[in-house]
Amino acid sequence: MAQPRVVVIGAGIVGCATADELTRRGWTGVTVLDRGPLYETGGSTSHAPGLVFQVNPVKAMTEFAAYTVAKYSGLGAFDQVGGVELACTPERLAELHRRRGWAAAWGVGARVVEPDECARLHPLVDPERVLGGLHVPSDGMARAVDAAALQAAAAQERGAVFKGGHEVVDLVVKGGRITGVVTSEGEIPADLVVCCAGIWGPKVARMAGVALPLTPVAHQLAFTNPLARLARPGGADADREIRHPILRHQGADLYFRERFDRLAIGNYGHRPLPADPEKLAANAMAAFTEDDFAEAWQETRRLFPAAREAKIEEGFNGLFSFTPDNLPLLGPSRAVDGLWFAEAVWITHSAGVGRAVAEWITGERPVTPPRECDVGRFEEHQRGPAYVLARDCQNYVEVYDIIHPLQPMEDPRPLRTSPFYSRQQELGGVFLEAAGWERPQWYESNAPLLEGREIHEPGEWAARYWSPIVGAEAQITRERVALYDMTALKRIEVTGPGAQAFLSGVTTGRLDRGVGAVTYCLMLDEHGRVLSDITVARLGEREFQIGANSVLDADRLARLAPADVVVRDVTAGTCCVGVWGPRARDLVQPLTEDDFSNKAFRYFRCRRTYVGMVPVAALRVSYVGELGWELSCPADMGLKLWDTLWAAGQEHGVIAGGRGAFNSLRLEKGYRSYGVDMTSEHDPYEAGLGFAVRDVDPGRAAPKRLLTCLTLDEVVMGKEPVYAKGAPVGYVTSAAWGYTIGRCVAYAWLPSALAAPGTTVEIGYFDRRIPATVAAEPLFDPGMERLRG
Ligand code: FAD
Ligand code: THG
């Protein structure tokens, strides 16, 4: 096979890592272009102090960082001095324990240490001023320009060509496919272009008509004069730039490291200073705005008494990339074939990202799944310039904040509202946000339901974004009937003569069943890993409605569809309400001419009908595990649908149920949530979804790990480490109190040997270990009597 010609734009650390990883995989036709001189190009890499803190709430990000540590250590471009995050308040100390949990969950060694230990680790730390620290011995400092140059050298040995002084001034796109780049020195043909242009990424992307949701934001870095406390005693390591751990003081938006006997101070505490991506200079550095540093300098001296007499000798405002969700932008452009991105990547994640992107391009199985980093993950509203600027600046402000797992985006809101929104407001809905949608977590008007109920009270952390009303709504759903707004569920219409054959080909389902069938099935990648779990409802001979998980699913279907199939994301133009509970049939039947009896309308069947005056697609499915239907209709009639159901439901004691109850109910029933419980890292059998696969591979190996149901007596939140015999063995994916079963339900990835019911393990929750027991699943209604009745 002829080698694809790859052009990488940008010889910063990301471009160099990507070129190295591509050539390692035998792709030798790689040309890397940079406008600047190699390898101090003037990009962000040239200015970064190179601190590598690996711990991150996102597993893939920690894995990217761990690979960076391993790779740059091997290259001799990494000083493994360790990292210490300092806490000065009880809240921060608790947060360090939570962070240490992520470290254990994702496989990085870390300990929360006492103030004395912090002082022993670093000469500037005053034990009187801190409450503790998170020590990660494998953290350290990457020498970023060296790491870039060394990776470039390795790539060059395998045939890659690096060219400085080559500015890309245009991208050549023909018939929707990239065919080359125009540089200041002439045109270079290419089959594939990888944009690693850092803060200049949006400008480069625009050359192909692509909008990249990224904002360059300035961030301050300053250096003190020499500090006596950091003076060098001489000896073997006298010429080492850094000898003590890198430090973070997130409570004051600061980080620190030595530069010989000077202190380097990084400051996120100032107002966001965004730059217009179209008007950037050739250097990612701007003049130091001293006023913005004043508070940081005060805080630094408060924290380190040994720096009190020091002064700031130099400083600058360095630019790097922020995105709407603070995660990188990786993978193929969905608009232009052959154009790829590796953007908004820190030094910390550079090697891991280079590897992931190279694996993705070459079709090798990704070691770390880049789904949450996929450049295609944004909804249309998230790609607009005003939204991107607002979110990116807000993310700059929040970069070191303590973020609760349920904490919604606060601004700009509300953005997307379902047709039921006004009714939900009238009912006292307490709204969180998902993919831009306002979603009630519970309804204050349901407070009277608490009368006579004992609802389990979680601990302080789990009680945030929570109310006992959540428990009452969950119980009422199992006792009577409740309406759940499912509008945010991604709905995709697939129509045309080839629709059935197409869907059979791209899912694991048996879709040759007739009109009226609903099938729960999966989309898998080429390596048999789960890309999504979906429901496929056959509403007509050539008409299917899919319930999916994200914009990436819609994109995948649209891209793969043949000419005789039309794929449309109809989410925004339609709405959906779940009517669930033992009295659901009593509520709906009088509203329709159709027969909704169990015999005439069985579980996992669908049909088009009218509910009152509203044309609906009715699917007899329930993610909460109760009798009932998902009813979807055009958005214009959504309010009418809600009001019709609400009025008819009064005699049955109908309530509106929020997302809190919904999540609890689905966990009791054992229903997985894609992207949380299972990801593209997992195959269906490990995830407990083998039943959804039509052609099971009989020769497949027994799974080494399993998504396992645990129960415990206290509420945890997800992403906690699981310990067996004191050692970390896995992690919790999602958890909630089960208000029917009276215990907390937690799903966790565990080695198969530990997945047998009755096995006891411990869940790390802040500074405690909570006992948990593996349970046979599902915990609720294993006989399916509720659903099939
Ligand atoms: P860059 O290094 O900017 O490389 C992009 C390259 O593309 C540049 O060389 C540029 O010349 C080239 N280019 C752009 N447009 C074109 C074009 N049209 N034609 C040809 N070439 C083009 N990260 C950490 O992990 N830890 C830290 O401690 C840390 N501290 C930081 C402190 C500061 C002050 C700054 C500014 C950043 C810091 N970062 C840190 C972030 C980190 O530096 C960046 O995220 C990272 O360097 C980005 O690498 P890159 O290769 O994507 O971008
Ligand atoms: N509704 C619809 N589509 C969806 C979801 C939904 N698509 C995305 C996501 N949610 C998919 N997740 C599930 C998970 C479980 C079930 C449905 C969607 C479910 N499972 C049955 C079970 O395991 O008992 C399947 C039984 C069967 O295959 O017959 O109901 O909420 N529209």
Side-chain angles (χ1 to χ4, degrees), residues 57-83:
V58 177
K59 178 167 176 272
M61 293 294 276
T62 300
E63 289 168 347
F64 289 154
Y67 182 66
T68 298
V69 167
K71 185 176 185 185
Y72 298 171
S73 296
L75 291 173
F78 191 75
D79 290 295
Q80 199 155 49
V81 289

Side-chain angles (χ1 to χ4, degrees), residues 10 12-14 33-35 41 43-45 48-51 166-168 196-198 200 204 219 255 316 318-320 345-348:
I13 199 160
V14 177
L33 306 174
D34 203 293
R35 171 184 43 210
T41 63
S44 303
T45 304
L51 288 78
H166 278 62
E167 175 165 6
V168 172
C196 305
W200 296 275
V204 172
H219 154 70
Y255 65 80
F316 63 90
L319 289 157
F320 69 103
V345 180
W346 290 18
I347 304 296
T348 303

Side-chain angles (χ1 to χ4, degrees), residues 328-374:
L329 308 173
L330 312 181
S333 158
R334 302 316 201 265
V336 176
D337 288 339
L339 177 60
W340 287 69
F341 295 101
E343 286 283 345
V345 180
W346 290 18
I347 304 296
T348 303
H349 309 108
S350 54
V353 162
R355 180 174 66 170
V357 170
E359 283 170 341
W360 200 346
I361 288 175
T362 59
E364 194 178 318
R365 199 186 86 211
V367 172
T368 39
R371 176 186 185 264
E372 54 240 296
C373 305
D374 191 323

Side-chain angles (χ1 to χ4, degrees), residues 374-433:
D374 191 323
V375 67
R377 69 187 174 276
F378 299 103
E379 297 274 342
E380 195 169 3
H381 76 273
Q382 295 173 309
R383 293 180 234 145
Y387 176 91
V388 171
L389 181 62
R391 287 311 304 157
D392 294 358
C393 287
Q394 188 55 28
N395 282 327
Y396 184 86
V397 172
E398 290 178 9
V399 73
Y400 280 167
D401 284 4
I402 298 172
I403 309 279
H404 189 276
L406 288 175
Q407 182 175 327
M409 167 178 90
E410 314 280 359
D411 183 67
R413 285 206 26 216
L415 273 179
R416 311 176 84 186
T417 54
S418 88
F420 321 136
Y421 184 57
S422 57
R423 295 295 180 261
Q424 294 168 336
Q425 285 181 306
E426 288 159 23
L427 292 171
V430 175
F431 293 88
L432 302 184
E433 176 269 341

Side-chain angles (χ1 to χ4, degrees), residues 460-480:
E460 189 275 329
W461 181 251
R464 298 189 193 180
Y465 305 100
W466 180 87
S467 155
I469 296 169
V470 168
E473 290 176 2
Q475 292 180 351
I476 294 279
T477 307
R478 299 241 187 271
E479 294 164 16
R480 306 188 328 218

